[in-house]
Amino acid sequence: MTSSEHIPTTVSSGTEAVWHHTACNLCSINCGVEIKLADDGRTFARVRGDKNNPVSQGYTCEKALRLDHYQNNPHRLTSPMRRRDDGTFEEVDWDTAIREVAAGLAKVRDEHGGETIFYYGGGGQGNHLPGGYSGATRKALSMKYSSNALAQEKTGEFWVDGQLFGAMSCHTTPDMEHTACGVFLGKNPWHSHGIPRARTVIKEMANDPDRTLIIIDPRVTESAEIADIHLRVRPGGDAWLLGAMLKILVTEDLADRTYLAERANRLDELEAMLAIVDLDEWADKAGVPLDQIRHAAMTMAQAESCAIFEDLGIQMAPHSTLNSYLEKLIFILTGNFGVKGGMNLHTAFGKLAGGGGGGDRRTPVGNHRILGGLMPCNGIPDEILTTHPDRLRAAFVESSNPVHSLADTKRWREAFEALEFSVVIDVVMTETAECADYVLPTSTQYEKAEATFFTFEFPENFFHLRPPIVDPIDGVLPEPEIHRRLCRELGVYNDDDLAPLYAAATQGLDAYADAFLSVIAASPDLGRYLPVVLYETLGPALPEGMESAAAIWGLSQTFVTSNPESAARAGYASGNDLFNAILDNPSGVAFSSDSYEATWDRMRYDDKKINLIVDELVEEFRSLADEDPRVTNDEYPFILAAGERRSSTANTAMRDPEWRRKHPTTGLRLHPDDAATLDVEHGAKIRIVTKAGEAISNVEISDSMLPGMVSLPNGQGLSWPGADADTDLGVYLNELTSVDDRDWFAGTPHHKHVRARLEKV
């Protein structure tokens, strides 16, 4: 092996190194952290930001400091579990579990077709490598339909990107580091981040007299408190606010018409669409004074640059796909696309969403649009609870908890009960695992090589492959090994097929690349199972504990081949160069570097111009003139934001309530006026009732809320074995949400806009 093919031969584990480079797994940013282990070699004694991480640069928030509650969960699964006829579970050995799971799934495939088996998952936060390996098992079973958390949030936005710029892969990212005007729409970056070093970046923006921070949110969040401009939009009123802004831009000489003439098509049609906007009426519907809307629009238009970050506040609310469209029109009309400090199209190290489809594919029963290859989550129970011959009959769930995290828990439990076969891969007995036929225990994100494919940075983009820092507990297997065994059991390949690759892997990456091309050319079917083929053959030649990084070798080749200029600017002439750099840098590495002009090169329309009109959404926009968000519902007069990120919440990777001991209770936040009307005091009990169910919570009176709006924190209500009656596990949010409340186009849920009634307990 030459020096250019160097592969590290050791990985720190146990207590060999004082500090171990890794990342936080509690949000999509995955800040680099260093962890110091206790003398037992397993307990996380200390956690701090990793200054060597090129993205987070030593930054982290308070959540990462408590990662030991995730890693050393006392209720870890240590053996495969099989459901008995009476509903209880029994332990079985791995050989039995693999054999029976493969047989159960194959039986459904053979009797009804692989398209009746659906896959949910692809990795949790910062846990994306397993999703790549699942592709082999899915192909072995001829599975066709899949979904994951992105279909709860982002598919509408991704589809709009495709309509504007030519393909759903044209994903926009904000250049917040350099922007003169940063706008956060439906987002509180103080807690939910969304950009690297979020708190540092927004504080710098707010404190700089030459820059402007704009927050658009009904609540007075921590971010809104430091903002230069805060627009307290009415819950569900975002479309009217954005429509009013756009009308102001095109009628008050604020749009960059020179830029638009050169870079965009169909401006005349857009102006005609906006003609229906009555500014006074739309401002009133939005709940924001017109002078404030005009000031914000002028600020965005006149700033040297402007970047906008949209998130769940508008993506899980009425008109969510339309909201994404209108938001993007703002930065386009002001000339802030394809420029420094604006919005740009970034590279990607690997796919997040599935392949194909801008809405042309549909689900077999409910005829729901499949965007980015993902079924809309709210529609999946409809595909199961039916007598339709093409219904879904089996489920394969990995590193995800749809019964808890998707709308209408009761209906999801009914759906799992109706399945002919189901299997879950996870680290603990989740609410979804409790409904499955088989549960396969896997190692945590700190017991195996891991990575995240949230590679959204521009002009430089970064990838972070993380080595394991503790040994796996006995009885578990990493997901790649589970998929390898399933593929073997399903008979998709054998040792003879892989013999040349085993031999070449010991001779270095160049020899392996040559052998790989020859083997795939001779046996193209092996390419269908590429991740597990790489894991089987290249994996053993990698450093101990890094076997699952084998798939990264394949992605490195693909990236450099597909993006040679971006890779070359980052210093890589070949996929092997990039792969070695990834292995050699446990704090992360820049894998691409771009000029701002690269955004226009990535446009997928032949003329490299923006398409300003999304025909499918024009009629919905026109309907806003007759719709009125001011109208209340007498039976359910409150609007519940079901899932607010707070300092004491994380995602469902955290189950132990002790991790939030500084905030042990979980409060329903409501405005003082509403508390007075209901005659409840701070800390009192209150019942929340929706059309889907009800729950009881403590009251948290806060003038951060608008009257008529209430909120509950996300990521709570999780089961914790042995918890006593006084333990506040929090509200199980999806006992309050309904699968019926969803965007008409993308099917994304209205979790931030749940109609509710409050009753004093």
Side-chain angles (χ1 to χ4, degrees):
M1 185 178 297
T2 66
S3 59
S4 65
E5 297 174 285
H6 167 68
I7 296 177
T9 57
T10 60
V11 176
S12 296
S13 62
T15 56
E16 293 175 15
V18 174
W19 291 97
H20 302 268
H21 300 281
T22 184
C24 176
N25 63 357
L26 296 180
C27 88
S28 64
I29 298 304
N30 301 120
C31 296
V33 298
E34 292 180 294
I35 293 177
K36 184 177 182 179
L37 300 174
D39 290 341
D40 61 10
R42 299 202 61 82
T43 304
F44 291 5
R46 287 186 60 194
V47 181
R48 69 185 184 190
D50 182 0
K51 294 180 180 179
N52 292 315
N53 185 283
V55 180
S56 55
Q57 302 170 28
Y59 172 94
T60 187
C61 74
E62 67 273 19
K63 295 180 180 67
L65 305 181
R66 306 187 187 104
L67 281 170
D68 187 66
H69 287 287
Y70 162 72
Q71 170 57 37
N72 291 303
N73 186 318
H75 303 294
R76 289 279 301 279
L77 291 169
T78 58
S79 173
M81 306 295 286
R82 178 175 61 194
R83 181 182 294 279
R84 299 186 182 99
D85 290 341
D86 65 1
T88 62
F89 284 89
E90 62 184 351
E91 295 185 359
V92 295
D93 62 81
W94 272 105
D95 288 344
T96 299
I98 293 295
R99 183 175 64 252
E100 293 182 358
V101 166
L105 292 169
K107 182 176 185 291
V108 175
R109 176 198 61 190
D110 297 342
E111 292 181 357
H112 306 289
E115 65 273 15
T116 65
I117 308 171
F118 84 92
Y119 175 84
Y120 191 90
Q125 298 281 30
N127 181 42
H128 292 152
L129 277 179
Y133 287 98
S134 72
T137 302
R138 291 153 66 184
K139 287 185 173 64
L141 291 162
S142 301
M143 295 166 66
K144 182 179 180 181
Y145 298 109
S146 65
S147 194
N148 61 37
L150 289 174
Q152 283 260 85
E153 309 160 356
K154 304 296 182 183
T155 45
E157 183 195 1
F158 291 168
W159 179 81
V160 168
D161 282 334
Q163 301 305 300
L164 294 172
F165 312 122
M168 288 181 68
S169 59
C170 297
H171 181 249
T172 52
T173 192
D175 187 13
M176 288 294 178
E177 288 277 355
H178 302 111
T179 194
C181 178
V183 183
F184 292 88
L185 174 57
K187 182 166 193 67
N188 176 16
W190 191 265
H191 284 318
S192 59
H193 291 77
I195 61 171
R197 304 187 307 113
R199 294 178 182 179
T200 299
V201 169
I202 65 171
K203 283 193 293 185
E204 289 174 348
M205 201 181 299
N207 292 332
D208 188 336
D210 296 324
R211 304 174 74 191
T212 304
L213 173 64
I214 299 177
I215 300 294
I216 303 175
D217 197 306
R219 300 171 298 129
V220 182
T221 63
E222 294 83 353
S223 304
E225 287 177 341
I226 66 171
D228 299 289
I229 298 173
H230 177 205
L231 303 182
R232 297 194 73 182
V233 62
R234 185 189 312 279
D238 305 278
W240 289 271
L241 173 69
L242 296 169
M245 283 186 170
L246 290 168
K247 179 67 174 285
I248 290 167
L249 291 176
V250 300
T251 59
E252 300 186 15
D253 199 27
L254 293 171
D256 190 335
R257 293 184 178 273
T258 301
Y259 171 94
L260 294 169
E262 179 184 357
R263 298 292 197 179
N265 292 318
R266 305 177 73 181
L267 177 60
D268 56 339
E269 294 177 63
L270 177 60
E271 291 186 282
M273 184 185 87
L274 295 172
I276 68 165
V277 176
D278 179 310
L279 286 176
D280 290 316
E281 182 182 14
W282 284 46
D284 196 51
K285 288 181 177 181
V288 180
L290 181 57
D291 61 336
Q292 292 185 22
I293 299 176
R294 179 173 282 110
H295 175 56
M298 292 178 62
T299 300
M300 287 186 261
Q302 295 171 353
E304 183 177 342
S305 58
C306 181
I308 306 178
F309 194 113
E310 65 162 85
D311 210 13
L312 307 190
I314 66 166
Q315 293 170 344
M316 287 184 164
H319 301 293
S320 60
T321 304
L322 178 63
N323 287 337
S324 292
Y325 172 44
L326 301 178
E327 172 265 315
K328 292 175 190 296
L329 287 176
I330 290 175
F331 65 71
I332 293 168
L333 290 184
T334 55
N336 283 295
F337 177 72
V339 297
K340 183 177 182 178
M343 307 295 292
N344 289 278
L345 303 182
H346 59 86
T347 54
F349 192 70
K351 284 185 178 180
L352 275 176
D360 51 324
R361 287 182 61 205
R362 297 280 182 148
T363 61
V365 177
N367 201 37
H368 306 299
R369 288 182 182 84
I370 296 175
L371 302 179
L374 301 176
M375 300 171 68
C377 299
N378 275 33
I380 296 174
D382 298 342
E383 305 292 320
I384 301 170
L385 295 169
T386 174
T387 58
H388 194 288
D390 297 328
R391 67 185 179 274
L392 298 177
R393 298 172 184 264
F396 194 127
V397 178
E398 183 171 22
S399 297
S400 298
N401 191 5
V403 168
H404 187 277
S405 62
L406 303 184
D408 203 334
T409 288
K410 180 181 178 181
R411 188 159 172 79
W412 267 97
R413 292 187 188 278
E414 292 172 354
F416 262 84
E417 182 68 25
L419 291 170
E420 296 177 20
F421 193 84
S422 56
V423 58
V424 168
I425 299 176
D426 218 312
V427 297
V428 296
M429 186 65 79
T430 65
E431 289 73 12
T432 304
E434 291 170 351
C435 299
D437 295 311
Y438 287 81
V439 186
L440 306 180
T442 189
S443 43
T444 71
Q445 297 176 36
Y446 299 103
E447 296 171 352
K448 62 195 173 194
E450 257 306 351
T452 175
F453 292 97
F454 292 128
T455 49
F456 296 157
E457 303 311 303
F458 187 95
E460 280 194 310
N461 211 346
F462 303 89
F463 184 75
H464 187 190
L465 175 67
R466 312 187 298 272
I469 63 172
V470 295
D471 295 328
I473 61 174
D474 292 338
V476 306
L477 293 176
E479 294 95 334
E481 179 63 20
I482 295 173
H483 289 294
R484 183 194 74 82
R485 295 189 186 193
L486 287 172
C487 285
R488 285 279 189 167
E489 185 67 28
L490 291 164
V492 298
Y493 59 81
N494 56 47
D495 285 336
D496 291 341
D497 296 327
L498 306 183
L501 296 178
Y502 284 121
T506 65
Q507 301 168 26
L509 294 181
D510 287 344
Y512 185 83
D514 292 340
F516 177 82
L517 293 174
S518 298
V519 168
I520 295 300
S523 304
D525 246 14
L526 276 180
R528 291 167 47 82
Y529 317 109
L530 182 58
V532 293
V533 168
L534 292 173
Y535 173 77
E536 280 240 30
T537 58
L538 180 60
L542 299 180
E544 183 180 358
M546 298 295 285
E547 294 84 357
S548 59
I552 302 301
W553 178 84
L555 291 173
S556 297
Q557 314 305 314
T558 301
F559 178 80
V560 174
T561 301
S562 303
N563 303 271
E565 294 181 355
S566 297
R569 282 191 291 264
Y572 310 112
S574 70
N576 284 348
D577 289 343
L578 175 55
F579 182 58
N580 278 321
I582 289 170
L583 286 172
D584 283 339
N585 290 275
S587 293
V589 65
F591 67 90
S592 75
S593 180
D594 286 317
S595 65
Y596 288 93
E597 190 62 27
T599 283
W600 298 104
D601 296 335
R602 294 197 177 107
M603 293 281 290
R604 296 293 291 275
Y605 287 122
D606 291 340
D607 62 2
K608 303 297 183 182
K609 288 188 175 183
I610 304 164
N611 170 42
L612 292 175
I613 289 293
V614 177
D615 295 294
E616 292 87 341
L617 300 178
V618 171
E619 188 58 38
E620 181 183 0
F621 182 80
R622 289 174 178 155
S623 74
L624 297 179
D626 299 320
E627 186 179 339
D628 196 341
R630 296 167 295 190
V631 176
T632 58
N633 183 310
D634 291 340
E635 184 177 5
Y636 300 110
F638 287 89
I639 301 298
L640 166 67
E644 177 192 344
R645 182 62 65 91
R646 300 178 186 174
S647 63
S648 58
T649 67
N651 58 32
T652 55
M654 292 294 219
R655 305 186 77 82
D656 185 353
E658 276 292 307
W659 97 278
R660 51 183 171 86
R661 57 185 176 271
K662 288 187 177 178
H663 303 275
T665 59
T666 57
L668 177 84
R669 287 183 177 165
L670 74 163
H671 191 272
D673 291 351
D674 293 326
T677 300
L678 293 163
D679 189 27
V680 294
E681 297 180 348
H682 190 90
K685 298 289 185 181
I686 199 161
R687 178 178 290 106
I688 309 110
V689 183
T690 70
K691 68 179 182 182
E694 62 181 61
I696 292 178
S697 175
N698 298 307
V699 170
E700 188 174 322
I701 299 173
S702 172
D703 57 10
S704 68
M705 309 301 294
L706 282 173
M709 179 190 185
V710 295
S711 75
L712 284 166
N714 70 301
Q716 299 191 4
L718 296 158
S719 62
W720 184 248
D724 59 40
D726 294 328
T727 302
D728 181 10
L729 297 174
V731 173
Y732 200 147
L733 291 177
N734 285 312
E735 292 180 345
L736 300 174
T737 58
S738 169
V739 292
D740 298 328
D741 297 331
R742 57 193 176 203
D743 184 67
W744 75 275
F745 188 87
T748 43
H750 293 171
H751 287 341
K752 307 299 184 184
H753 198 271
V754 179
R755 294 200 175 273
R757 179 173 71 250
L758 302 181
E759 299 173 351
K760 182 178 178 180
V761 177

